[in-house]
Amino acid sequence: MNSPGVLAAAVHVLDPVERIPVVLLAGEQVTEPAIAEQITNPRCWEGGQPPAQESAPSKSARKAKPA
């Protein structure tokens, strides 16, 4: 993640390690990519945009089959 995102609203997410519910409040910075991925509503982020993430290959990308 290039920069932390700041929340504009309170959100409920799961801790990526312990898998327990966590409440993040408006104004908090989110620096953990695994948590930021869970916040899909753009209105929850200040500026209406989630934080920029580094480009990485998609895990769900299919491999091409040989011809």
Side-chain angles (χ1 to χ4, degrees):
M1 183 176 295
N2 290 337
S3 62
V6 179
L7 294 173
V11 296
H12 296 256
V13 295
L14 288 176
D15 180 278
V17 176
E18 297 180 16
R19 305 302 294 170
I20 58 172
V22 177
V23 177
L24 302 174
L25 302 175
E28 288 192 50
Q29 289 189 345
V30 177
T31 57
E32 180 68 40
I35 291 177
E37 288 177 359
Q38 296 180 56
I39 306 169
T40 58
N41 186 339
R43 291 185 289 179
C44 293
W45 297 103
E46 283 190 359
Q49 293 291 326
Q53 295 185 3
E54 294 177 10
S55 60
S58 175
K59 292 181 183 177
S60 64
R62 291 183 163 184
K63 293 182 181 179
K65 292 183 180 180

